[in-house]
Each structure stands twice: as structure tokens, then as C-alpha cells.
Amino acid sequence: MGAIVHDDGVAFRVWAPNADRVSVVGTFNDWQSEAAPLKREEHGTWYVNVANAKAGDEYKYRITRGDNSFDRIDPYAREVTNSIGNAVVYKDTFDWKHPTFHRPTQNELVIYEMHIGTFHRDDPDQPGTFSDAVAKFKHLKELGINAIQIMPVAEFAGDLSWGYNPAHIFAVEQAYGGPDALKAFVDAAHEAGFAVIIDVVYNHFGPSDLDLWQFDGWSENDKGGIYFYQDHRSNTPWGDTRPDYGRGEVRQFIHDNAMMWMREYHADGLRYDMTAYIRTVSGIGDDDIAEGWGLMQWINRDLRNEFPGCYLIAEDLQTNNWLTKTEDQGGAGFTTQWDAAFVHPIRAAVQEIDDAHRDMWAVRDALCHRYNGDAFQRVVYSESHDEVANGKSRVPSEIDAEDPESRFAKKRTILAAALALTAPGVPMLFQGQEMLEDDWFEDTDPLEWERTRRLRGIKRLFRDLIHLRLNKDGLSKGLTGQHIVMHHVNENDKVVAFVRRAEDPQDDVLVLANFANRSWDQYEIGFPDSGDWQLKLNTDWSGYDQDFDDHPVEHVDATDQPYDGLPARAAVSFGAYAVLVYTRK
């Protein structure tokens, strides 16, 4: 499908089953409709080879149905001039410098969610580009993350967008640099040691600048035509734009798109936007769309077979175990999913004004939640693009809208992020968390990079947390493990402590989190074993921020006295809203 460059010109094939006539017009034939008519094939496709067409030529399909004739951009176009412009004949000649990449295992992932248009702008008056983002890879390398998840980069209406309004799902956004620039971004990311996960939107298309709408002139009930449902199932929060998951050609269209990101762009995984609207009509009810479920199973099965170890992430947010069950169990076959059962209670706990109202049992449940008994079937985070917009702000601004860099705002923001990076699950940061970006996320507002200098200690804190999460010093392997022992929940004093464990208890890591604005000098908690336990991180250290209290803390010697259901105990000291991480000496 689409425009295929070969030695004898360019072959064009398009699906338009209700058209009476189709021709391809472009720069190669002065846009003359009689010059290159397509021949009808079986199953509603049309085909022609144009000998004098070449890569770089612009074109459209001119479709006639009855008395009406109209031009359409090729649904399979790999490149367009813009969302309402022309398709461009694209030939893949990119020279990959790093064609192979060793993906981290899912239990060793730390994801950084990035919006290309605002992550970094070389020109403050223009959206950021893929090359602008590459220029900041040194910052990400220093931070320690090992996976970048980019918000959708399929061509959208205009130059400013979150990307969740895809106009042409096979074309790469021109304002970001187009297809070769994305390949250069992925190549550079792999060289720097970052996996790349691409966000895809299959729960709806458009709704604006949508040439797929009534593509060949046919529709029923004034709906969207061949690519869309023609009944109540078309309805989404983004208009009547839900694809017809039951129509074979539409299923193939979406399947081909998913495979394209992996095959042609060397992506390491996909994150599906709001799968609840693929599998149900309402997104929240039991009004299932069986074809949508089957489509996700088919795509995920083929991706996992062809790209073993790839990441398949669902944003469903309905705490549904079936998303991450395997296909042979009847599941959708995703490897992990965003976990609403973590982000909402953790944010609620740190954003609450009054310490007395923080719910430690809700925190416990958030830390212990998992899907199908597998901690790494969930992505845990305190900020994402959804959680810092749509009426919600960044965590520092939610805590203190007047002064997002106040002591309270900084300490409790770090408390939430530290739990995401120490809890069982795949941790994710949203761009700018490491510099305490405030207010809310907008596609017009780039990151303020001067904050990395002014708040360099905060970046160091995130780096230290990530290094612990990835066991960089060989002492914190427990943080990469499946298991959590939630042995200490103090609802009165607002303190929790838990043990993270891999297979070997010698790798145990103990984490303590204080959700109150008070410090302790002799606070007894259980330890998994007696002996020396080394303090590896204290978020209250003034070296991270001069507003932090720097309450005296130290290594501890646990004694052989059972406590909290564990075989040893020790008295620890810690500051207000502090998180401590201990490993064996």
C-alpha cells in the first residue's frame, strides 16, 4: 500500500472500494488527473505504476464518485508537506549507525516521557525538533534513565500539539523534522544507551485535518466512511472518529502502522494511548468492542514474535488484569500498563495539606498493587502528561500554587517521585520532574533549562535515586526484584517502611518514607537481618537543596530482636518528609 519506490518508477496502491475512478496527480504529471489513472483491483484497491515518478515528488489521489471529485492524501504516506498539504514519495535510504540495540529487561527500565515540541527548543519561537532533543541527551545520560518514551509524532494538525490528534498516522510530524530526523533521533538514542518507545493513537483518528474522513466519498448515517464505524460505536470523546476495528482493511492499516514503527524506525516498543476506548465504546463500561480486543491481541502477538523483548505498554487506567495477560490466557498481550492504582493515591497523599489526613493504608496499597502477580506489569509514576494538565498541575504547584519551590512543595514532590523509583514496577518520569518543573504542561511552553543549574542538587537527587533503582553500585539489586514486604505502616505518625527483594535475601533493600512534617531521632523499625546496614540515600540531605533540613542520619547496626514481623530491629533517625534507602554494608 502507498507509494513504493523501485527501479522502474513508483508504484501507487490505495484502498477506495466505493470510488468510480482514481488517479494519482503530482509534481511528476503537473497534477493532471488524466495522466495516471489507477486500475481497479480485487477487494477495492486501485493500482498504477508511474515510470517518471521519483522519491521527493509530491502527490495526491484524485478520487471520483458519482458527480463528485476530490483530492486525498495517501493514507500510507510516510511523509507529507504538512497535515493539509501533499503526500511526498519517500524512499528509505537512512544509514543506521547502530542497527542493533540491546534492550534492558523490563525490570531494569527507567522511562523518561518526552514531548518533542517542548522538551528543548533551539529556537524559542518554534516547536522543538528531534535534533533539538538529541542535543540534550547528555543531560539524560547524566540523569541515568535508560528509556525514552516520546509522545505521538505522527503528523498532526498544525505545528503545536500533544500529538493525540493524528491526521496521518504513517507520516512523521514535519514540524519535528520528518521521518529521517526521527530515525536519526532513535539512532542517537541507541548510541547513548536509551531504548525508544513510541506513543501511538489507535482509539481515534483526527478529528481535524483528517483526509481519511469519507475517504472515497461513501458513508452511512453521515459518519466517517470506510475507515470508521458507521453506527454508535464511532462515538468517542474526540468525535465520531473511532476506526472500524471489524473491517479487515482497517485492521490491516493499524497493524501495518504498528509494525512500521518497529521495522522502519527501530523503535523498542509502543505505548498505546487509552486502550479502554479500543476495547469498549464508553471507555469505562462493559460495552465491549470484541474486534478492538482482537486487534490488540493480533498486533501484540506479531510484535512480540518479531521483536522479542520489545515493550508493549497500555494506557488503560481501569486496573484491568486482562490487558497484561498473555493472548493464550485470553489477554491483550501487553507487557505492562500505566497504573492508576499507584499514581492517584500517591499524589493524593503528598498533595494533602494536613498531615493528619494522609492515608498510609492507601499508600501501602499503592506500593503493593500488581497485575497478575507480576510487579513489572505496571508502570508507576507521580507525573505524566495527563496528570500535569487537564485541570491538574505539576506536583509542586498542586502542593503550593503560590510558591512551587517552597520547602513543603519540594520535599513532598520528591517524596512522591522517590516512591515511584523505589516501588515495585517500571518507574517513569515526565520531562522536567528532575528540575521540579512547575505549573501545568502545555504544548506552547518549553522546559526551563536554567532550572537545571539553579536546582542542580535536585537533579543529583534524581540521579542518585535512578542509580540505586538500577543497582549501579551492585548493592541495591533488591530494587530490581519482584518482591515487596510492607512490614511497617504507622497511620498515627505517618511513616511507612518496606523491604524490596530480588531472589536472594542478601540483596534486600530497606526503604523508609516519612509523610509528616516532623523529624525523629530514635524510631524503631524492623530489618530483614541483623548487622550493618548502610544508608545509601537520604532525600533530606541539604546537599540536594539548601531548604532541606539535613536532619542527622547515619548507618545502623540492626540487632537480633524480631520487630514488625522481621527478624531484626534498629533505631533510625530521619527528617520531615524524608525518604531513606538502606542496603547491606
Side-chain angles (χ1 to χ4, degrees):
M1 302 298 292
I4 299 94
V5 181
H6 58 100
D7 292 342
D8 297 317
V10 179
F12 295 90
R13 178 174 281 112
V14 64
W15 177 54
N18 301 289
D20 296 323
R21 186 176 184 276
V22 179
S23 59
V24 61
V25 297
T27 52
F28 42 79
N29 61 17
D30 294 327
W31 303 92
Q32 298 301 307
S33 60
E34 302 301 322
L38 277 68
K39 180 180 179 181
R40 184 188 291 271
E41 300 179 309
E42 293 182 353
H43 310 299
T45 60
W46 299 73
Y47 172 84
V48 70
N49 186 68
V50 180
N52 65 324
K54 62 186 184 305
D57 285 344
E58 297 179 18
Y59 71 101
K60 281 188 172 181
Y61 293 116
R62 186 157 295 163
I63 297 174
T64 301
R65 184 170 190 264
D67 296 331
N68 298 317
S69 186
F70 35 84
D71 290 354
R72 297 286 194 240
I73 293 176
D74 185 351
Y76 276 84
R78 296 310 199 261
E79 185 175 7
V80 297
T81 57
N82 58 67
S83 61
I84 55 174
N86 300 318
V88 178
V89 177
Y90 176 75
K91 183 178 181 181
D92 186 358
T93 59
F94 187 79
D95 181 18
W96 290 92
K97 301 295 190 298
H98 305 278
T100 60
F101 177 72
H102 179 68
R103 301 183 187 99
T105 56
Q106 195 155 287
N107 71 310
E108 294 181 327
L109 271 185
V110 177
I111 298 173
Y112 188 93
E113 188 185 13
M114 176 187 295
H115 177 251
I116 296 295
T118 58
F119 175 65
H120 174 232
R121 291 182 177 178
D122 184 56
D123 182 344
D125 297 323
Q126 298 295 326
T129 65
F130 294 116
S131 61
D132 288 342
V134 171
K136 289 296 185 181
F137 276 3
K138 180 182 178 183
H139 165 83
L140 297 179
K141 190 74 173 175
E142 292 171 348
L143 189 62
I145 61 101
N146 56 15
I148 301 170
Q149 179 180 298
I150 53 176
M151 290 168 64
V153 294
E155 184 73 30
F156 47 71
D159 292 341
L160 298 172
S161 173
W162 290 18
Y164 297 99
N165 54 332
H168 307 284
I169 66 171
F170 281 83
V172 176
E173 174 59 38
Q174 279 294 338
Y176 293 166
D180 284 351
L182 174 56
K183 290 173 183 175
F185 172 92
V186 175
D187 208 27
H190 286 169
E191 181 180 21
F194 308 138
V196 177
I197 301 163
I198 295 179
D199 207 334
V200 292
V201 184
Y202 300 143
N203 53 57
H204 73 284
F205 296 144
S208 58
D209 295 1
L210 195 57
D211 270 24
L212 292 180
W213 188 260
Q214 298 181 2
F215 182 77
D216 63 1
W218 171 86
S219 70
E220 292 179 349
N221 304 317
D222 201 29
K223 300 284 188 175
I226 58 175
Y227 280 92
F228 303 92
Y229 282 117
Q230 303 301 292
D231 56 22
H232 72 283
R233 292 172 295 177
S234 69
N235 183 255
T236 75
W238 311 278
D240 282 336
T241 54
R242 181 182 280 117
D244 185 345
Y245 305 126
R247 190 185 285 254
E249 293 85 354
V250 179
R251 293 170 67 85
Q252 190 70 54
F253 179 68
I254 297 172
H255 180 281
D256 289 349
N257 183 257
M259 303 303 289
M260 177 196 74
W261 297 115
M262 304 290 285
R263 290 172 177 167
E264 299 178 25
Y265 290 93
H266 293 199
D268 300 290
L270 301 178
R271 179 264 190 194
Y272 291 46
D273 181 58
M274 210 52 193
T275 55
Y277 284 100
I278 298 176
R279 62 182 182 84
T280 70
V281 176
S282 66
I284 56 174
D286 57 2
D287 44 1
D288 293 346
I289 303 175
E291 302 102 323
W293 188 265
L295 177 62
M296 292 190 294
Q297 288 179 315
W298 176 36
I299 294 172
N300 290 342
R301 178 182 68 241
D302 284 1
L303 286 171
R304 294 175 83 162
N305 287 341
E306 187 168 338
F307 304 98
C310 69
Y311 317 118
L312 299 171
I313 304 172
E315 181 206 24
D316 198 84
L317 303 180
Q318 305 301 310
T319 59
N320 187 326
N321 280 289
W322 291 94
L323 269 296
T324 42
K325 286 181 183 288
T326 59
E327 186 196 359
D328 60 359
Q329 296 174 312
F334 289 96
T335 62
T336 191
Q337 59 178 302
W338 282 19
D339 191 15
F342 182 90
V343 60
H344 295 152
I346 294 300
R347 279 184 65 124
V350 299
Q351 290 169 194
E352 171 61 53
I353 296 173
D354 188 344
D355 284 351
H357 294 154
R358 304 187 205 287
D359 186 346
M360 295 301 96
W361 297 108
V363 169
R364 178 204 63 177
D365 292 345
L367 291 167
C368 295
H369 185 250
R370 59 185 60 207
Y371 295 96
N372 305 304
D374 185 349
F376 299 104
Q377 287 187 15
R378 68 173 188 160
V379 177
V380 292
Y381 54 95
S382 57
E383 290 191 358
S384 71
H385 69 269
D386 280 329
E387 296 295 334
V388 298
N390 301 320
K392 294 173 284 189
S393 300
R394 297 270 191 163
V395 175
S397 295
E398 290 285 348
I399 294 171
D400 190 339
E402 297 298 320
D403 183 8
E405 293 186 28
S406 69
R407 172 181 174 274
F408 288 136
K410 286 188 284 193
K411 296 197 84 171
R412 299 212 303 266
T413 297
I414 294 301
L415 174 56
L419 287 178
L421 285 161
T422 56
V426 178
M428 181 181 74
L429 304 177
F430 183 58
Q431 63 174 35
Q433 271 191 267
E434 73 280 14
M435 56 185 90
L436 293 185
E437 191 75 29
D438 55 11
D439 293 331
W440 55 84
F441 170 65
E442 295 182 283
D443 51 30
T444 57
D445 184 16
L447 293 184
E448 300 173 28
W449 282 94
E450 62 84 20
R451 301 174 74 92
T452 60
R453 294 184 293 274
R454 182 163 52 82
L455 299 170
R456 63 175 60 90
I458 298 297
K459 177 187 170 184
R460 179 179 177 181
L461 193 161
F462 274 89
R463 183 202 67 184
D464 291 350
L465 277 164
I466 292 169
H467 280 214
L468 282 171
R469 175 62 181 76
L470 295 177
N471 191 31
K472 293 292 188 180
D473 65 358
L475 295 175
S476 54
K477 187 177 180 180
L479 293 178
T480 70
Q482 276 280 356
H483 310 295
I484 181 171
V485 179
M486 196 79 205
H487 65 287
H488 187 92
V489 181
N490 183 341
E491 176 67 13
N492 290 329
D493 295 317
K494 309 303 178 185
V495 179
V496 299
F498 55 93
V499 176
R500 287 295 314 282
R501 178 170 293 168
E503 297 308 314
D504 187 349
Q506 291 300 311
D507 297 321
D508 283 357
V509 175
L510 186 139
V511 180
L512 179 145
N514 180 13
F515 282 78
N517 186 31
R518 65 156 293 182
S519 59
W520 293 83
D521 289 322
Q522 292 288 315
Y523 187 97
E524 292 253 49
I525 59 170
F527 274 76
D529 200 0
S530 60
D532 291 336
W533 286 81
Q534 191 171 36
L535 180 70
K536 299 298 293 183
L537 182 132
N538 169 26
T539 63
D540 185 44
W541 179 45
S542 61
Y544 292 137
D545 192 282
Q546 62 184 5
D547 289 338
F548 291 176
D549 302 330
D550 210 12
H551 186 81
V553 295
E554 56 189 18
H555 309 315
V556 297
D557 184 11
T559 60
D560 268 323
Q561 295 176 299
Y563 197 73
D564 286 337
L566 296 181
R569 68 166 60 186
V572 297
S573 60
F574 49 88
Y577 302 123
V579 175
L580 307 184
V581 179
Y582 286 95
T583 66
R584 295 179 189 273
K585 187 172 180 180

